[in-house]
Amino acid sequence: MQDPATEQPDLRNADQAQQRGAVLRRKLRTAQVAEAPPPRPGPERMIGLAIAKAAQDRLGLELDARSMVETRASLAELPELIEDMSLLLMIEGPRDAMGLISVPGSTLSAILEIQTMGKIGRTTPPPRKPTRMDAAMTVELIDAILAGIDAGLAGTQDAVWATGFRYASCLDDTRPIGLLMEDVSYRVWTMQLGIGAKATREGGLLWIVPEEGRAQRSLPVEQKTDPVAAPPPDPEWARRMERAVMGTQTTLEAILHRVSLPLSVVMGLRPGMDIPLPDNALSHLHLEADGRAVATVKLGQVRGMRAVRLTQDDNAKPEGMDQFHSEADQDQARLRRSTLESAGTLVVDPDAPDGGGPVPHRNAG
């Protein structure tokens, strides 16, 4: 049996070793906490900050997001979540993703009051049906909020579903929602807002976006991209882009002539009246694409159909244009012939003192 006196040093050594181990573990935990980067605020805080900053910067209005709840809903469930008499604003995001922002009457009235009267009243006015003018006065604030969300969530996983949206159109009621938005699952953010310097009024906001994000995860604003890490250029990209652009379709319009007339003459135009054209109108038509003149052409026909011939470059003739027979002179003569079969027919006289008013013309017989 061991002497008790010899056991005490062993126990003391064990206690001291245990204490030293505990001190080392505390130091390691402190070092790890000090080296770890501060956690980035979640989407709730960044969304609330975007709302407050946009309202203050754009309108001088204090909006405080008191509560914020995220849920999921199907397309069929969305109309049931929208408060009556709300302003409905469609928003469009990356790759044709469609979302919706619903501004209840309590919030909308404050937005309108601060812009029209410079302040908000103590009480919320009775609800009314929003108008297009209300939407026009709200769009700037909504886009500023969405831009603030883009900046606040840049570089996070939430940026994939939350960023890239802007105002697209206004809806009169909830019926078109099922036609304009995809049949997918949606993130529904229901927000309760305090309105005014001392939150004298309360309001809300409903923000709806597709659950599956379509935006690319962007870098934070303060983070710089490394040009060395950029992917090498794709040599086939230019050729693919050229094929895509050259494969698009455009509408060509042959413009016979454009004429300017006094408003009094235009208001008096009736069937049977003639509008004078220049002598060379049929031989100098303008071919336009998207409102821009691209060529000068001459009217005629080919294979029994109306056609135009390019007059600026006669060297390159499309196949079949050798059969082109111009009828410009014949058409011009018919258009300018003023044989009128019935009495009382009106013609436009370009030489009239008032700039071309309707002048009665009767048959000689």
Side-chain angles (χ1 to χ4, degrees):
M1 185 174 181
Q2 190 174 5
D3 188 359
T6 61
E7 293 181 358
Q8 293 179 359
D10 295 335
L11 293 175
R12 285 196 298 270
N13 292 337
D15 292 341
Q16 292 174 358
Q18 186 175 2
Q19 292 175 1
R20 285 195 297 270
V23 171
L24 290 175
R25 285 192 294 272
R26 284 197 299 270
K27 289 182 177 180
L28 288 174
R29 284 196 298 267
T30 303
Q32 291 174 355
V33 171
E35 294 175 0
R40 191 176 180 87
E44 294 86 355
R45 183 185 177 191
M46 301 311 299
I47 295 171
L49 289 175
I51 294 174
K53 186 176 187 304
Q56 185 63 44
D57 293 348
R58 300 289 178 172
L59 306 177
L61 176 65
E62 294 192 23
L63 288 182
D64 178 28
R66 291 181 166 182
S67 66
M68 198 174 303
V69 178
E70 180 190 11
T71 57
R72 300 291 190 273
S74 64
L75 178 62
E77 295 171 331
L78 296 183
E80 303 174 0
L81 305 176
I82 297 173
E83 185 177 329
D84 291 339
M85 301 294 181
S86 294
L87 176 65
L88 304 179
L89 302 176
M90 295 292 299
I91 55 177
E92 185 174 3
R95 290 188 286 175
D96 298 328
M98 299 301 296
L100 179 70
I101 289 182
S102 173
V103 186
S106 55
T107 305
L108 178 61
S109 61
I111 295 173
L112 301 179
E113 288 173 15
I114 198 69
Q115 295 184 75
T116 55
M117 298 185 296
K119 62 179 182 179
I120 62 172
R122 293 183 175 273
T123 59
T124 303
R128 62 172 178 81
K129 184 176 177 60
T131 65
R132 296 279 174 172
M133 182 60 68
D134 299 337
M137 298 178 66
T138 310
V139 166
E140 184 179 358
L141 173 63
I142 295 302
D143 276 348
I145 293 175
L146 295 174
I149 293 175
D150 290 355
L153 297 180
T156 68
Q157 294 291 345
D158 298 309
V160 176
W161 58 265
T163 61
F165 287 90
R166 292 297 184 273
Y167 168 77
S169 63
C170 175
L171 301 182
D172 294 329
D173 52 59
T174 59
R175 288 176 295 179
I177 291 178
L179 301 175
L180 298 176
M181 300 178 65
E182 296 181 83
D183 190 8
V184 296
S185 178
Y186 287 88
R187 298 173 185 262
V188 180
W189 287 81
T190 304
M191 312 173 200
Q192 299 299 323
L193 307 177
I195 305 174
K198 297 182 180 180
T200 55
R201 286 165 55 174
E202 295 183 351
L205 194 68
L206 199 66
W207 180 38
I208 302 172
V209 291
E211 179 179 1
E212 295 296 330
R214 299 180 183 180
Q216 295 182 352
R217 182 179 176 182
S218 58
L219 295 175
V221 176
E222 66 275 5
Q223 185 174 351
K224 303 297 183 180
T225 58
D226 184 6
V228 178
D234 185 0
E236 292 292 330
W237 182 87
R239 286 188 285 271
R240 290 198 301 268
M241 177 60 72
E242 181 181 3
R243 287 196 297 268
V245 172
M246 299 305 291
T248 57
Q249 296 185 358
T250 186
T251 301
L252 296 178
E253 295 179 334
I255 306 299
L256 178 63
H257 181 63
R258 285 190 170 91
V259 59
S260 297
L261 295 173
L263 181 59
S264 58
V265 176
V266 175
M267 297 297 294
L269 289 177
R270 297 291 184 272
M273 299 179 64
D274 293 341
I275 298 177
L277 298 176
D279 294 339
N280 61 349
L282 297 179
S283 58
H284 290 79
L285 282 73
H286 295 287
L287 197 64
E288 296 186 359
D290 297 328
R292 299 180 58 184
V294 296
T296 302
V297 296
K298 189 174 183 179
L299 181 64
Q301 71 173 17
V302 60
R303 296 178 182 174
M305 301 177 64
R306 292 288 184 185
V308 293
R309 168 185 278 172
L310 295 175
T311 59
Q312 290 183 338
D313 185 6
D314 291 335
N315 295 327
K317 295 182 179 179
E319 181 180 357
M321 291 304 292
D322 290 338
Q323 304 177 22
F324 188 102
H325 300 291
S326 174
E327 295 183 346
D329 296 336
Q330 301 174 18
D331 291 340
Q332 182 176 342
R334 284 195 294 268
L335 285 176
R336 295 187 60 82
R337 195 162 48 234
S338 58
T339 303
L340 305 173
E341 298 179 354
S342 59
T345 303
L346 296 179
V347 298
V348 177
D349 183 5
D351 299 325
D354 61 351
V359 178
H361 179 87
R362 297 181 181 274
N363 290 340

